[in-house]
Structure formats: structure tokens, C-alpha cells
Amino acid sequence: MAESRKVNRREFLQISAGVGGSLLVALYLPGCGHGKAGAHAATPDPEVNFSPNAWVRIAPDDQVTIEVGRSEMGQGVMTAIPMLLAEELDADWDKVRAEFAPVDKAYTNPIIGQQLTGGSTAVRGFWRPVREAGATAREMLVQAAAQSWGVTPDACQTERGTVVHLDTGRRLRFGELTARAAALDVPDTVLLKDPAEFQLLGRALPRLDTPAKVDGSAVFGQDVSVPGMLTAMVVRCPVFGGKVKTFDASAAKKVKGVHHVLPIASGIAVVGDGFWAAQKGRQALNVTWDEGTHAKLNDAAIRTQFE
């Protein structure tokens, strides 16, 4: 593996011509600057984790955690995005776990321009940046191993979560290199694999999110609970564009666990101790609607307008 360094235009063209199928990428990775790795890590202590950018975190126990900045809606993105990064990292897939990324500009969808999921853009949008993130981590781990052995980085290669010294066969696990790698400068350029070298991409791998969904340990939005949290359910007009004319909250307020009944822009919100209280209060609420100009609109009328 070639040593990653800052290159000028002439060097870039020379190297690009000489690396065969590989791709030299000048990169800017969200969540990482040109300082030391770990400066923007989710867990910044370099003695614990190596996190050179916003996408990946490697622990001393070899666990590789990959942040997924998209919503999993059954399309498999919780596995696809980690595959992109793990491929370039040469990670041991058995040590890879995925977690949902926090709200951060680092995870902006480059096609849509927001941290948004839709339009089959997850893999298309992050095909390159997530692979660059993995290649950056790989490059730094190789440099860390080379320093440990007193050899040049091009005398080493990575394979399944380890760095190997080609001449002697010595190996260091990624987890053994986290502290040293975290002290290195983040490279300006990295080499991406040629598709012919892919080991993970293109394979039908078991989905990372399946076990937790099967055994019940997966945490969904409705599972989240914080001290003092209340749940709101909204009653909305059955006709698009309609508004509340009058409402009687007396019966809803008598439901055990209901705290508030509040008019809001989209209807009436019933706030209770949890889903069941809010749901029962919502069912007890008596609302009279002003259905507006669309009150008599139906399928036949819409079809006529289309025609």
C-alpha cells in the first residue's frame, strides 16, 4: 500500500498513472480536519478509540462501529453503508457493528442536500465519501503499524482487521493500533480499491440489524423514555385543509393519565403519560370540524380534474 501524503497536480497525475486500477482521492471528510485523529471523534480519548472521521470508530477490542446517517426503513441501509466503509478499511466483518448517526452536517445527503433519507440515494450519495472514510482509517492504521515495526508503510498490507508486514508475516490487530493511529495526522489523500479487489461489496451478507429486531433488543423511537416524558397524539381533520370549528375536551380530560388537551395548527393534541392514555383521551375528544372547500371532493371529482 502506498504511503498517503499531500501531492501537487504533477505528482497526482504521475501517481494516478502508476496505481493501475486503484484510485487516488484527494479528500475532505466531514468531522475531520488536518490535525490529529480523534479531535472530532464521538469518543475523543485516543487511548480508548481511534476515530479519524465522523463515520468510523475502532476500539482496542477490535470492535469497528460505523455510523449510518440514513434511516433504516427496510431497504437495508444499516448494512449497505457499513459494507462500503468496511470494504475499504479491510475490516473483519464479524467485528463490525452499525449505529444510527446523530444529527450533524457531516451526514448531509450529498444528493438531497439535507440529512434526509429517500429517493434511493443512500448508496449512490455515499458511495465515495464513506469509502474514503474507510480508506483513511486503513491508511492511518498501516502507518501506525509501520512505525511500530520501524518499516515503511508500503511494506505492509491490511487483511481482515489486521495489518501484516509482508516480509516477516508479523501482524498487529486494528485494536492494538488505536492509540498510535489516533496520534497521527489525517492524510490528505487515500487510495481506493479497484472494484476487482472487493471482498465484501457484491456479496449477499447477513443484515446487521436483523438479530436485534428478532430478539427484541432493537430500540425504536417509540421505545425511548426519559424522566418526565409525556406522549402526545393529534386529532386531525379527516378532510385535507380543514380546521377545528369547536371541540369539547371534558371527556378527554377525565381519562386517567391525560394532562393536556391543546389546539395546535394541525388539529387538537392530547397529551398523556404514555401512548395508551393519549390514545384513549384522543378517542374521547369531541371535535366539530370546518371541512373547508374540499368537503365534497371525492375520487370521481379528482379523476375528472385530471382528465
Side-chain angles (χ1 to χ4, degrees), residues 116-187:
L116 188 68
T117 303
S120 299
T121 58
V123 172
R124 287 191 292 130
F126 291 98
W127 173 256
R128 174 167 290 186
V130 172
R131 290 175 61 206
E132 290 171 1
T136 298
R138 180 195 68 215
E139 184 76 14
M140 296 173 72
L141 290 163
V142 167
Q143 291 185 36
Q147 286 183 4
S148 298
W149 293 322
V151 300
T152 59
D154 59 6
C156 307
Q157 71 178 25
T158 51
E159 59 180 55
R160 195 163 181 177
T162 62
V163 181
V164 183
H165 183 221
L166 296 173
D167 291 341
T168 64
R170 288 177 292 182
R171 292 172 176 266
L172 284 170
R173 303 186 335 271
F174 285 176
E176 297 176 287
L177 296 165
T178 54
R180 186 182 289 270
L184 298 174
D185 288 331
V186 177

